[in-house]
Amino acid sequence: MRSRCALTLLAAGVVVLMAGCRKPPGARPGAAAAGHDQALPCRYVDITEQAGIHWRHYNGGCGEKYIPESFASGCAFFDYNDDGWLDILLINGMKLGVCEHEPVYSALYLNLGNGTFQDVTQQAGLRVEMYGTGCAAADYDNDGHTDVFVACLGPDHLFHNHGDNTFEEVSKKAGVSDDLWSTSACWFDYDRDGWLDLYVCNYVNWSLKNDAWCGRDNIESYCGPTSYDAVDNVLYHNNGNGTFTDVTAKAGVAGPGGKSLGVAVCDYNDDGWPDLLVANDLTPGFLFRNNGDGTFTEIGMEAGVAFAESGQAKSGMGIDFADYLDDGHLGIIVGQYTGEGLTLFRDEGGGTYFDESAAAGMTEATMDILTFGLFFIDADLDGYKDFLAANGHVLDDITRYESNTSYAQRPQLFHNQRDGTFADIGPRLGGPFKVPIVARGAVHGDIYNNGNAAVLLSTNNGPPHLWRSEGATDHANWLEIKTIGTKSNRDGLGTKITVVANGLTQVDWVRTGSSYLAQSDLRPLFGLGKATRADRVVVRWPSGLEQRFENVPANRIIPIREGEGGLERAVVLVPRCGARRLRWGCGAGSERTWMLPSDDRRVGAAAHLAWTR
């Protein structure tokens, strides 16, 4: 493995070379020799058609090369009707300028619990024409029902969930609609008052009136971000009464000059206060440190995440983070443009990050691709986070200028080699990893409630792709946590979960955001390898309360209600043929029961044995 010199960024923006070079991180406890992934204990199968998903994204174009045409679309996994099964949200655009097109709409697909989905967009009240880009879903009013925010080119939309399988558009009444070009968004409780606040990324100041002409060889093409001025991002504070107040300036998170595309909510210094990571397009990346007093300080340059090791700002798109070596140090991954290569930052201690991309074996493997959505995921449940990259170029005629790249590109799955490096195993997995698509949003979620996290990829001006994960739970065990806040926000967003098992200490946070224009399953999924139980599970809530559970059996979804000390009611009953029920007992008087399908084959009967303490 090649060593590399670290770069640090001074406040004045001057890049200086630090004395000496560092060796890349060595193997951690439990690490195996290179090539340990030869067995490939997981695989993915495209089930879009058989799942009943028949929908297509429309980017609004008709040959005019408007810049927004290249960037969407977003998607999400979330449980909109509170039945215990993840549903699917797909965000659509609309016609732009002189373009003519029949109205198109975003789509909500209900998970029927048997591997198929039903389009319920119209009856749910989401058949609204808008130029949607990204989305974020959470229970902002703590009524037990998940609401949806859609970031748009033009007025944003907030849909309040009534709890009867319908939504109401309330963006103006709630005070969260503007006319900017919004991209990614996230719900989080930045002041820990128990009410979810909303952060919205904005891209550039583009409109039909200021649309610029860009091209090569007198042939019109899409403009880049340098052709337009940046606009500020927005932070809305939840007033606790269904309305929000714009506190962007007061909180210090405007992010001037950002041209923001991706956002991740993290607690980089583990102080219990949620911070914000923002990926920006050809401008320095942001790290907003939460000061714990309602304000933030932007420390991207100080922390080392503003620029890549070259000292240049890259084309930041999707973003995510994880403790991928299980050693207490977070890694941050950012999607980039063709010719830049993915960027992997790693905390080497004290909140100082270094560009590990080349040392991790990622630069060469990603140099010819363009990545939008991406996320960390333990694909084979061995306890170490891998990551998936959703790729696709922005120029539909890129082959005219660059013969070594293409518009549609194959997705990539990078397997964690447990020694600080990753290997692209997509070509060996085959299946959907061999099919080039124009991917944008990318999310993961346990749609079968069996520990095998599915993958959903959205595309630009094309159909989505739903992949079923197979094989991982045949070789490894798992544990999934659903948090239910009482003093903290109802979803438990911001909760830190630590799982100790198989000689490893894994951490994750309950969070929205991450990836690109998208949202994954809110239930953290932990791979336990061969361990049949977790030695310890520690849950630290935003309220400051910490709950500890010992000797927790594997292969189940554990609901944990804030303030309740036992898991005796955290029962998952699944596995007999015929009618059966999934019971998530969350305390006296609040037990919920949902009917499950009679077909056990895709639910994983052995994985859901009832457990009482």
Side-chain angles (χ1 to χ4, degrees), residues 6 36 49 85 102 129 242-243 264 378 428 462-463 467 497 522 555 558 574 582 586 589 591 596:
H36 70 86
E49 288 294 321
W85 297 91
E102 62 186 24
E129 191 176 18
T243 68
D378 187 355
R428 292 167 53 202
W467 301 351
I497 299 175
L522 294 186
N555 300 329
I558 302 294
V574 207
L582 167 65
C586 302
E591 180 173 286
L596 294 185

Side-chain angles (χ1 to χ4, degrees), residues 151-396:
C152 299
L153 171 65
D156 298 325
H157 291 268
L158 176 61
F159 295 94
H160 179 252
N161 190 332
H162 286 302
D164 59 359
N165 298 332
T166 67
F167 293 85
E168 177 187 0
E169 210 290 331
V170 296
S171 54
K172 290 186 179 179
K173 180 169 63 175
V176 294
S177 181
D178 61 38
D179 293 326
L180 301 175
W181 179 358
S182 301
T183 54
S184 294
C186 62
W187 295 100
F188 73 132
D189 185 3
Y190 78 91
D191 56 355
R192 303 195 326 197
D193 65 352
W195 299 94
L196 292 179
D197 311 300
L198 178 65
Y199 186 77
V200 182
C201 293
N202 291 314
Y203 190 49
V204 296
N205 183 26
W206 177 88
S207 69
L208 291 169
K209 293 181 179 179
N210 71 352
D211 182 59
W213 189 97
C214 298
R216 304 184 193 180
D217 304 325
N218 207 33
I219 299 175
E220 187 174 15
S221 186
Y222 292 107
C223 293
T226 57
S227 299
Y228 302 96
D229 294 332
V231 289
D232 289 347
N233 299 335
V234 182
L235 175 63
Y236 296 103
H237 179 259
N238 191 330
N239 299 321
N241 59 3
T243 68
F244 295 78
T245 299
D246 184 340
V247 295
T248 309
K250 178 181 177 182
V253 291
K259 302 182 180 180
S260 303
L261 290 175
V263 60
V265 182
C266 72
D267 185 3
Y268 87 100
N269 55 0
D270 199 29
D271 65 353
W273 295 92
D275 312 299
L276 290 171
L277 285 163
V278 182
N280 296 321
D281 195 359
L282 289 180
T283 57
F286 296 144
L287 172 53
F288 289 106
R289 182 186 65 209
N290 192 328
N291 298 322
D293 59 1
T295 68
F296 293 78
T297 301
E298 204 289 297
I299 60 167
M301 294 180 67
E302 175 186 335
V305 299
F307 299 95
E309 191 174 45
S310 64
Q312 301 295 316
K314 288 186 176 182
S315 306
M317 296 172 191
I319 188 169
D320 197 15
F321 69 93
D323 178 8
Y324 63 88
L325 284 178
D326 296 331
D327 63 355
H329 298 288
L330 291 183
I332 301 167
I333 192 166
V334 185
Q336 315 283 192
Y337 198 82
T338 306
E340 295 178 335
L342 289 179
T343 301
L344 175 67
F345 296 106
R346 187 169 185 277
D347 180 10
E348 292 298 317
T352 301
Y353 289 80
F354 294 88
D355 187 340
E356 302 280 350
S357 311
M362 292 166 38
T363 302
E364 184 176 352
T366 61
M367 192 59 69
D368 293 333
I369 57 93
L370 194 161
T371 301
F372 277 91
L374 77 176
F375 52 76
F376 282 103
I377 182 174
D378 187 355
D380 56 355
L381 301 176
D382 67 348
Y384 290 86
K385 296 292 188 184
D386 316 297
F387 74 87
L388 184 143
N391 306 320
H393 213 279
V394 294
L395 303 180
D396 52 11

